[in-house]
Amino acid sequence: MASIWIILLFITYMEPVFSATVVEDLANLHPPPDFNTTITSNCLKNPSLRYCGSSPMDLDVIFKFTIVASHLCNESKNPNCVETFPKIDLRNRPKIAPLYLSFTFFWKYCPLTVISIDLSNNSLKGTFPIDALLCTQVQALDFSHNVLTGDVPIQSLSPLTNLTVLNLSYNHFSEAKISDSRFLKRFDPSCFFQSGIIPSHHRYKIKAIMLLLGFPLVVVFMVGCLWWLCFRRPDYLPGLLRNKHKFTPAMLKVATNGFSKKNILGKGEGFVTYRGVLRDGTQVRVETYLDSKNSREKCHRKYVEECKVLVQLCHKNLVLVYGWCSNRHMRALVTEWIGRVSVDMWLSETSPSWKHRFKVLVGVLKALCYLQDQWPEICCDVKTSSVLLRENGEPLIARFRVGDDSNTKKIHRFGVFALEMITYRTLRDEFEGNEAGFVEYVKMVYPGKLQKVIDEKMKLTENTLDQARQTIYIGLMCADHQTCRQLSLGQIYNMITKVYSRIRCTNVST
Ligand SMILES: *[C@@H]1O[C@H](CO)[C@@H](O)[C@H](O)[C@H]1NC(C)=O
Ligand SMILES: *[C@@H]1O[C@H](CO)[C@@H](O)[C@H](O)[C@H]1NC(C)=O
Ligand SMILES: *[C@@H]1O[C@H](CO)[C@@H](O)[C@H](O)[C@H]1NC(C)=O
Ligand SMILES: *[C@@H]1O[C@H](CO)[C@@H](O)[C@H](O)[C@H]1NC(C)=O
Ligand SMILES: *[C@@H]1O[C@H](CO)[C@@H](O)[C@H](O)[C@H]1NC(C)=O
């Protein structure tokens, strides 16, 4: 400190000349005769002064250094250039900053009191002003807003251990990776904003990876989701976006708990029915068809066409068809859930009255008439084992398909159904699989020995026995392959309703 004070004192001493520029002073001023003594005593007091190390000391250069130092101190707006000299501030001084930078001797002897150097916004060209780094004690260095090029001299910056503020923003340095340099990593990335130096190699890498890998991954993920939604679980799509009649194997698998054995309702020739619960909580009956892969592929389109017809059926005695599933792996029909009670079970387990049996018969006949009228191409399965019962006693035809079903076949089947409704169970068991034999037997006992076949559990009165007899008569007519040809469902309906009106009459009279 003392040395500077002495030097500056010495300069101030020459006040009149000092008003000249630094260049003029450097050219005109010469060391006074006692300069050697002054410097020597300075160095004795403070040996750390930079110019003290050189031997022999070049007095001329040291003198020039003092001239530049005093000018620079003044230019840097230091408050008191006589005592201390803490900052070199040449911000926004493009005219003089390069000049001061060119005085290599000044920087070589850089005053130890300088702790901050600001050379920003000076349009400095060329490579990094490495001479400034000779002031190794500085704590702040601002070179921002210049046009510096080339490499950042990390080797020369590293000795600046007290440096806490570094600003290289807005320059044109060659690319360097902050992450590669231990020194640069000490500083905030904002110090290198638009400096040419890549703030964080790592961050860029992540961004690049995100773009290169992440984007395709996101696309793949979205496509995957879409595929999953569209082809596997469309039930997760909003109702508007999907065909509510179309079910996928994945949906049915979930609904039936993986087609678990517990959910099997029944098996038949080429089909298995399951109970299931859809995602929205609707209980359904799922009928899956066990057909070979080849035939499945062949009839896929035809099957869908058929199902599109079936979902339009609307009759209180026909099971409501919700939709279908058809692809390479499976074919299935999804219908409303009615329960497990088939007419067969109902007959053997609850011994229903004649009136109830008759109601079932009429219901089935109504459904047949509806199909005959509206959908003649649909054939259905009218068997006591496949017709289901609602809790209110209404029968429901639960199995049907599109295909040629002749009228006579329908009538014949209804006839057998009617006979089965009235005869006792064990008789049907005797003729299991021999429908013709069963019909023949009933025909044989009709009318005289009817008691032999009628289910006693109905507890018929004289009146109702008569009705049952008439119904058996109608049933036999329908079941007979010859007579059924001459009948229409309409005629049978008329005959049955006549019996029905009598039931109503007896109801009123009793
Ligand atoms: C300066 O003084 C020292 C001794 O004080 C002497 O050795 C040296 O030669 C002198 N240098 C010049 C350039 O006069
Ligand atoms: C030095 O500073 C003083 C006051 O701060 C000013 O009057 C003077 O012009 C300055 N000298 C130079 C050479 O800039
Ligand atoms: C740089 O200096 C110019 C004038 O030389 C000035 O207009 C501009 O605001 C300065 N920019 C900064 C960032 O200091
Ligand atoms: C940093 O500051 C300390 C204490 O002020 C000082 O002793 C040390 O020499 C300085 N480092 C450099 C490289 O100047
Ligand atoms: C560096 O300098 C620029 C311009 O002068 C400034 O906007 C920025 O905030 C500075 N950054 C730091 C870390 O001081």
Short mmCIF file of all heavy atoms in Angstrom, two decimals, residues 185-210:
data_model
loop_
_atom_site.label_atom_id
_atom_site.label_comp_id
_atom_site.label_asym_id
_atom_site.label_seq_id
_atom_site.Cartn_x
_atom_site.Cartn_y
_atom_site.Cartn_z
N LYS A 185 -16.72 -24.96 -14.00
CA LYS A 185 -17.88 -25.53 -13.29
C LYS A 185 -18.20 -24.76 -12.00
O LYS A 185 -19.32 -24.83 -11.50
CB LYS A 185 -17.61 -27.00 -12.93
CG LYS A 185 -18.26 -27.96 -13.93
CD LYS A 185 -18.38 -29.34 -13.36
CE LYS A 185 -17.09 -30.12 -13.55
NZ LYS A 185 -17.19 -31.51 -13.15
N ARG A 186 -17.16 -24.01 -11.49
CA ARG A 186 -17.40 -23.25 -10.26
C ARG A 186 -18.41 -22.13 -10.46
O ARG A 186 -18.98 -21.62 -9.52
CB ARG A 186 -16.09 -22.62 -9.79
CG ARG A 186 -15.25 -23.54 -8.95
CD ARG A 186 -13.86 -22.96 -8.75
NE ARG A 186 -13.84 -21.50 -8.55
CZ ARG A 186 -12.74 -20.78 -8.59
NH1 ARG A 186 -11.58 -21.35 -8.85
NH2 ARG A 186 -12.78 -19.47 -8.41
N PHE A 187 -18.61 -21.73 -11.73
CA PHE A 187 -19.43 -20.55 -11.99
C PHE A 187 -20.82 -20.92 -12.49
O PHE A 187 -21.02 -21.97 -13.09
CB PHE A 187 -18.71 -19.64 -12.98
CG PHE A 187 -17.39 -19.17 -12.47
CD1 PHE A 187 -16.22 -19.85 -12.82
CD2 PHE A 187 -17.30 -18.12 -11.58
CE1 PHE A 187 -15.00 -19.46 -12.32
CE2 PHE A 187 -16.07 -17.73 -11.08
CZ PHE A 187 -14.92 -18.40 -11.44
N ASP A 188 -21.70 -20.00 -12.24
CA ASP A 188 -23.07 -20.19 -12.67
C ASP A 188 -23.14 -20.19 -14.21
O ASP A 188 -22.42 -19.42 -14.85
CB ASP A 188 -23.91 -19.04 -12.11
CG ASP A 188 -25.38 -19.31 -12.27
OD1 ASP A 188 -25.93 -20.01 -11.40
OD2 ASP A 188 -25.96 -18.84 -13.28
N PRO A 189 -24.00 -21.02 -14.77
CA PRO A 189 -24.10 -21.04 -16.25
C PRO A 189 -24.44 -19.67 -16.84
O PRO A 189 -24.08 -19.38 -17.98
CB PRO A 189 -25.23 -22.04 -16.51
CG PRO A 189 -25.26 -22.89 -15.30
CD PRO A 189 -24.82 -22.05 -14.16
N SER A 190 -25.07 -18.78 -16.04
CA SER A 190 -25.43 -17.46 -16.59
C SER A 190 -24.18 -16.63 -16.90
O SER A 190 -24.24 -15.67 -17.65
CB SER A 190 -26.35 -16.72 -15.63
OG SER A 190 -25.64 -16.39 -14.46
N CYS A 191 -23.02 -17.00 -16.33
CA CYS A 191 -21.77 -16.28 -16.61
C CYS A 191 -21.32 -16.50 -18.04
O CYS A 191 -20.48 -15.76 -18.54
CB CYS A 191 -20.66 -16.78 -15.70
SG CYS A 191 -21.02 -16.58 -13.97
N PHE A 192 -21.85 -17.56 -18.67
CA PHE A 192 -21.38 -17.90 -20.02
C PHE A 192 -22.49 -17.75 -21.04
O PHE A 192 -22.41 -18.28 -22.13
CB PHE A 192 -20.85 -19.34 -20.03
CG PHE A 192 -19.88 -19.61 -18.91
CD1 PHE A 192 -20.25 -20.37 -17.82
CD2 PHE A 192 -18.61 -19.05 -18.95
CE1 PHE A 192 -19.36 -20.59 -16.79
CE2 PHE A 192 -17.72 -19.28 -17.92
CZ PHE A 192 -18.09 -20.05 -16.83
N PHE A 193 -23.50 -16.97 -20.66
CA PHE A 193 -24.64 -16.81 -21.54
C PHE A 193 -24.22 -16.20 -22.88
O PHE A 193 -23.58 -15.15 -22.92
CB PHE A 193 -25.68 -15.93 -20.85
CG PHE A 193 -26.95 -15.78 -21.62
CD1 PHE A 193 -27.80 -16.87 -21.79
CD2 PHE A 193 -27.28 -14.57 -22.20
CE1 PHE A 193 -28.97 -16.73 -22.52
CE2 PHE A 193 -28.44 -14.43 -22.93
CZ PHE A 193 -29.28 -15.51 -23.09
N GLN A 194 -24.52 -16.86 -23.95
CA GLN A 194 -24.19 -16.39 -25.29
C GLN A 194 -22.72 -16.08 -25.46
O GLN A 194 -22.35 -15.13 -26.15
CB GLN A 194 -25.01 -15.13 -25.62
CG GLN A 194 -26.49 -15.38 -25.53
CD GLN A 194 -27.21 -15.01 -26.80
OE1 GLN A 194 -26.72 -14.27 -27.64
NE2 GLN A 194 -28.37 -15.57 -26.98
N SER A 195 -21.88 -16.86 -24.82
CA SER A 195 -20.45 -16.61 -24.91
C SER A 195 -19.80 -17.56 -25.89
O SER A 195 -18.62 -17.43 -26.18
CB SER A 195 -19.81 -16.79 -23.54
OG SER A 195 -19.93 -18.14 -23.15
N GLY A 196 -20.55 -18.49 -26.39
CA GLY A 196 -19.98 -19.52 -27.25
C GLY A 196 -19.66 -20.76 -26.47
O GLY A 196 -19.60 -21.85 -27.01
N ILE A 197 -19.50 -20.57 -25.17
CA ILE A 197 -19.23 -21.71 -24.31
C ILE A 197 -20.56 -22.40 -24.03
O ILE A 197 -21.56 -21.74 -23.74
CB ILE A 197 -18.59 -21.24 -22.99
CG1 ILE A 197 -17.31 -20.49 -23.29
CG2 ILE A 197 -18.36 -22.41 -22.06
CD1 ILE A 197 -16.80 -19.71 -22.12
N ILE A 198 -20.56 -23.71 -24.14
CA ILE A 198 -21.81 -24.43 -23.88
C ILE A 198 -22.01 -24.51 -22.38
O ILE A 198 -21.17 -25.06 -21.66
CB ILE A 198 -21.75 -25.83 -24.50
CG1 ILE A 198 -21.59 -25.70 -26.02
CG2 ILE A 198 -23.01 -26.59 -24.18
CD1 ILE A 198 -21.29 -27.00 -26.69
N PRO A 199 -23.08 -23.91 -21.90
CA PRO A 199 -23.29 -23.83 -20.46
C PRO A 199 -23.16 -25.18 -19.77
O PRO A 199 -22.39 -25.34 -18.87
CB PRO A 199 -24.71 -23.30 -20.32
CG PRO A 199 -25.01 -22.65 -21.61
CD PRO A 199 -24.20 -23.33 -22.64
N SER A 200 -23.93 -26.11 -20.23
CA SER A 200 -23.81 -27.42 -19.60
C SER A 200 -23.95 -28.48 -20.66
O SER A 200 -25.01 -28.70 -21.21
CB SER A 200 -24.88 -27.60 -18.54
OG SER A 200 -24.77 -28.90 -18.05
N HIS A 201 -22.82 -29.09 -20.88
CA HIS A 201 -22.76 -30.17 -21.84
C HIS A 201 -23.85 -31.19 -21.51
O HIS A 201 -24.59 -31.65 -22.35
CB HIS A 201 -21.39 -30.80 -21.74
CG HIS A 201 -21.18 -31.88 -22.73
ND1 HIS A 201 -21.46 -31.72 -24.06
CD2 HIS A 201 -20.72 -33.14 -22.59
CE1 HIS A 201 -21.18 -32.83 -24.70
NE2 HIS A 201 -20.74 -33.72 -23.83
N HIS A 202 -23.94 -31.48 -20.22
CA HIS A 202 -24.86 -32.46 -19.72
C HIS A 202 -26.31 -32.15 -20.10
O HIS A 202 -27.02 -32.98 -20.62
CB HIS A 202 -24.71 -32.47 -18.21
CG HIS A 202 -25.23 -33.71 -17.59
ND1 HIS A 202 -24.78 -34.96 -17.94
CD2 HIS A 202 -26.20 -33.91 -16.66
CE1 HIS A 202 -25.42 -35.86 -17.24
NE2 HIS A 202 -26.28 -35.26 -16.45
N ARG A 203 -26.64 -30.86 -19.86
CA ARG A 203 -28.02 -30.47 -20.13
C ARG A 203 -28.36 -30.60 -21.61
O ARG A 203 -29.41 -31.06 -21.98
CB ARG A 203 -28.24 -29.03 -19.67
CG ARG A 203 -29.23 -28.97 -18.52
CD ARG A 203 -29.51 -27.54 -18.19
NE ARG A 203 -28.81 -27.17 -16.98
CZ ARG A 203 -28.77 -25.92 -16.53
NH1 ARG A 203 -29.37 -24.96 -17.19
NH2 ARG A 203 -28.14 -25.63 -15.42
N TYR A 204 -27.37 -30.20 -22.43
CA TYR A 204 -27.59 -30.32 -23.88
C TYR A 204 -27.75 -31.78 -24.28
O TYR A 204 -28.57 -32.13 -25.10
CB TYR A 204 -26.43 -29.68 -24.64
CG TYR A 204 -26.65 -28.23 -24.90
CD1 TYR A 204 -26.47 -27.30 -23.90
CD2 TYR A 204 -27.10 -27.79 -26.14
CE1 TYR A 204 -26.71 -25.96 -24.11
CE2 TYR A 204 -27.34 -26.45 -26.37
CZ TYR A 204 -27.14 -25.53 -25.35
OH TYR A 204 -27.40 -24.20 -25.58
N LYS A 205 -26.91 -32.59 -23.63
CA LYS A 205 -26.95 -34.03 -23.93
C LYS A 205 -28.34 -34.57 -23.60
O LYS A 205 -28.95 -35.29 -24.39
CB LYS A 205 -25.91 -34.71 -23.06
CG LYS A 205 -25.25 -35.90 -23.74
CD LYS A 205 -24.14 -36.32 -22.82
CE LYS A 205 -23.33 -37.45 -23.31
NZ LYS A 205 -22.21 -37.68 -22.39
N ILE A 206 -28.82 -34.16 -22.42
CA ILE A 206 -30.14 -34.65 -22.01
C ILE A 206 -31.20 -34.20 -23.00
O ILE A 206 -32.04 -34.99 -23.44
CB ILE A 206 -30.48 -34.16 -20.59
CG1 ILE A 206 -29.61 -34.91 -19.58
CG2 ILE A 206 -31.96 -34.34 -20.28
CD1 ILE A 206 -29.77 -34.46 -18.17
N LYS A 207 -31.06 -32.91 -23.41
CA LYS A 207 -32.04 -32.40 -24.37
C LYS A 207 -31.98 -33.19 -25.67
O LYS A 207 -33.00 -33.55 -26.24
CB LYS A 207 -31.78 -30.91 -24.65
CG LYS A 207 -32.49 -30.01 -23.66
CD LYS A 207 -32.29 -28.56 -24.06
CE LYS A 207 -32.59 -27.65 -22.88
NZ LYS A 207 -32.09 -26.29 -23.07
N ALA A 208 -30.73 -33.44 -26.11
CA ALA A 208 -30.56 -34.19 -27.36
C ALA A 208 -31.13 -35.60 -27.21
O ALA A 208 -31.85 -36.08 -28.10
CB ALA A 208 -29.08 -34.25 -27.72
N ILE A 209 -30.85 -36.20 -26.07
CA ILE A 209 -31.37 -37.56 -25.85
C ILE A 209 -32.88 -37.53 -25.80
O ILE A 209 -33.56 -38.38 -26.38
CB ILE A 209 -30.78 -38.16 -24.55
CG1 ILE A 209 -29.30 -38.48 -24.76
CG2 ILE A 209 -31.55 -39.40 -24.13
CD1 ILE A 209 -28.58 -38.92 -23.52
N MET A 210 -33.40 -36.49 -25.12
CA MET A 210 -34.86 -36.35 -25.03
C MET A 210 -35.48 -36.28 -26.42
O MET A 210 -36.48 -36.89 -26.70
CB MET A 210 -35.23 -35.08 -24.26
CG MET A 210 -34.89 -35.15 -22.81
SD MET A 210 -36.31 -35.60 -21.84
CE MET A 210 -37.19 -34.05 -21.88
#
